[in-house]
Amino acid sequence: MMEEGRMTFWGIALCNLKRRPFRTACLVTLVAALAFVLFSGSQITGSASNGVDGLSKRLGADILIVPKGYDQKLEGILLRGEPSAFYLDASWIEKIAGIEGIEAVSPQLFVASLNSYCCSVPLQLIGYEQSTDFIVEPWIKTALPKALADDEIVIGGLISGRTGDKITFFGREYRIAAKMGNTGTGFDASVFMNMDAARVAASDCAEKTGAAPPPDGSVSSLAVIVAEGFTASGVTGRINNEFDYGNSGVVPVAAKKIVDGVSGGLRALTGFFGALSAILWAVSLLVLCIAFSVMSNERKREFGILRSLGFTRKRLAALVLLESGAISLAGGAIGILLSAVMLLPFQTYIGEAVNMPYMQPTPAQFAATAAFALLLSFVTGPLASLPPAVKIGRSDAYTAIREGGL
Amino acid sequence: MKNRVFTGIGAIILGLLVSLGPQYLFRLCAPLADGSFMRCHWTGQAEIGLGALIALLGLGLALSPSAEVRLGLSVAAILACAVVILMPNTLIGGCGMRSMACRAVTFPALTVAGTLGMIGFAVNALYLYRGQRRKAALQ
């Protein structure tokens, strides 16, 4: 049975690959490395791209207003969920709402938790005004159709816990009313509660840590929506003029500026992986081209004998293409499999390492990326073996056997 | 002989990685300020035992001349690797946030090590089984 198999067209190709196991293994490894980089690069940039999309959808506001000097902290909260607490006098809500070109203003209160039940790191607690909110509520509504009670919270996708579970912050128990889906942003590591509950949590925090409690009625940031016919940059300038920028104690941050900053990082990441993939692809193509040329030169005698046994020129060329195709297919599959095994479990760590919003692609995106990487790896082999295959197709049996040294 | 050395040393390295990795290499979360441990600590303790078991199976694979015994040890190692994966992901678990060290680094590393171990031991078991069948057919 085995012997019969070897005499087939596929059998001859496989036997040729098996005859030189070290060379075959090296070529498969080369293509596997190419597939690994192609797939990993596409997955990482795709996840970062999803994260940036999620961030721009998730922000929901055109301008965010924070106390002077806390604009960087705001980015930390939005992008990475880094816990911070800072306060702004509530009178700013009225002042900002009175500026021309502003359609809506909604306050949020940030409280940094102590080590909680689950984790040795603090979490960001975010209180929001349910009557005016347009940032948190639209996302929560999908999972929670009613308003949050004072002892209820909504947790981000990165925090473990199920609806109905109890979590303790500063000695007070809260019931998980809903869990948000992953957004790839800092909100995934945040806990949301209504404004009254957040004020109580802030007082509890001050009591437990000995820090100064937040001033009565204070908030941390104001989310602003710009009215139609006005631009965010125009309104930002108006806020600065109105309140004597630099001395007013508040800083307006255009949401687009935060997204643009992250998009810049994404472009750099995409460029890096694009360049790495292109270099590796060119190197793989060159090495495979040289390897197949050397192989076909070594096998001139074999090709001449096959021609004299009745193999057509087309069939000989197809044999070379088949061998190279088998190498690149095996390499591509191994590279993608290894990459998937490495990437999937470590996605949280990779997301932290790239330091930008990171959201795993959907299964369809994952499959499309794998197919793309496999296709590109697969064509590399036959493409590299095309010149020797054409050359073999041109030579006649007699010359091939003579040149082969028989 | 080649098979014995290769699989035996591979299993011992894997066992040491599973056993000591969470303690020294891809470390678990630090204890809380009051000195108490979080859940991931106990996963780490369980993995010490499992890693030691895999290393012992590796020793058996390296020393046993009988292919049948090595086939049995390989199957046992597959099951041990499956438990290496189940400990952090199902049986004990870890901290409450996916961004914590245990869930971002330690558990994925254990999952990858366990998966690769399962694949490696399964290939070895298949290789030994086919060898046994071939031997039986010749007799």
Side-chain angles (χ1 to χ4, degrees), chain A residues 42 70 94 106 175 193 195 295 371 378 381:
Chain A
S42 307
Y70 286 95
E94 293 285 317
S106 183
R175 193 183 77 86
M193 49 181 62
M195 194 57 100
M295 274 160 76
F378 174 67

Side-chain angles (χ1 to χ4, degrees), chain A residues 76-256:
Chain A
I77 293 171
L78 296 177
L79 303 181
R80 297 175 289 278
E82 288 169 2
S84 291
F86 44 83
Y87 304 109
L88 194 65
D89 193 82
S91 61
W92 281 101
I93 303 171
E94 293 285 317
K95 289 181 195 168
I96 297 293
I99 291 174
E100 191 192 4
I102 288 181
E103 189 183 305
V105 181
S106 183
Q108 295 185 333
L109 180 66
F110 302 143
V111 183
S113 83
L114 292 173
N115 301 340
S116 61
Y117 77 109
C118 59
C119 325
S120 60
V121 291
L123 296 172
Q124 178 72 66
L125 310 184
I126 300 177
Y128 66 98
E129 194 64 73
Q130 291 182 290
S131 56
T132 58
D133 176 76
F134 48 84
I135 294 187
V136 183
E137 203 90 332
W139 293 84
I140 293 177
K141 261 188 182 149
T142 52
L144 185 75
K146 62 178 183 69
L148 281 175
D150 288 354
D151 64 342
E152 286 182 329
I153 54 168
V154 172
I155 58 171
L158 275 179
I159 304 168
S160 284
R162 280 176 293 193
T163 305
D165 287 356
K166 297 270 170 82
I167 297 185
T168 305
F169 292 115
F170 310 112
R172 199 180 292 272
E173 256 191 2
Y174 297 88
R175 193 183 77 86
I176 300 175
K179 185 170 182 170
M180 291 172 102
N182 280 345
T183 61
T185 67
F187 291 116
D188 292 347
S190 304
V191 173
F192 298 89
M193 49 181 62
N194 72 36
M195 194 57 100
D196 292 337
R199 289 193 206 289
V200 172
S203 310
D204 289 345
C205 173
E207 200 178 297
K208 293 264 178 192
T209 58
D216 274 350
S218 58
V219 295
S220 297
S221 76
L222 301 176
V224 171
I225 285 192
V226 172
E228 224 174 289
F230 292 87
T231 61
S233 57
V235 174
T236 303
R238 202 164 283 146
I239 293 169
N240 285 333
N241 289 337
E242 192 89 13
F243 299 110
D244 185 21
Y245 178 67
N247 297 316
S248 67
V250 293
V251 183
V253 183
K256 193 175 177 302

Side-chain angles (χ1 to χ4, degrees), chain A residues 229-315:
Chain A
F230 292 87
T231 61
S233 57
V235 174
T236 303
R238 202 164 283 146
I239 293 169
N240 285 333
N241 289 337
E242 192 89 13
F243 299 110
D244 185 21
Y245 178 67
N247 297 316
S248 67
V250 293
V251 183
V253 183
K256 193 175 177 302
K257 195 181 144 198
I258 298 173
V259 176
D260 285 350
V262 178
S263 300
L266 175 64
R267 274 194 296 276
L269 190 73
T270 310
F272 168 74
F273 276 113
L276 187 67
S277 301
I279 291 168
L280 199 65
W281 193 72
V283 170
S284 305
L285 197 68
L286 189 71
V287 172
L288 287 173
C289 201
I290 293 167
F292 285 119
S293 295
V294 171
M295 274 160 76
S296 49
N297 268 331
E298 278 176 4
R299 293 166 60 191
K300 271 185 179 172
R301 190 175 51 178
E302 177 197 330
F303 292 139
I305 292 168
L306 287 173
R307 282 278 288 129
S308 65
L309 286 172
F311 261 60
T312 61
R313 286 173 175 163
K314 265 188 184 172
R315 221 161 154 69

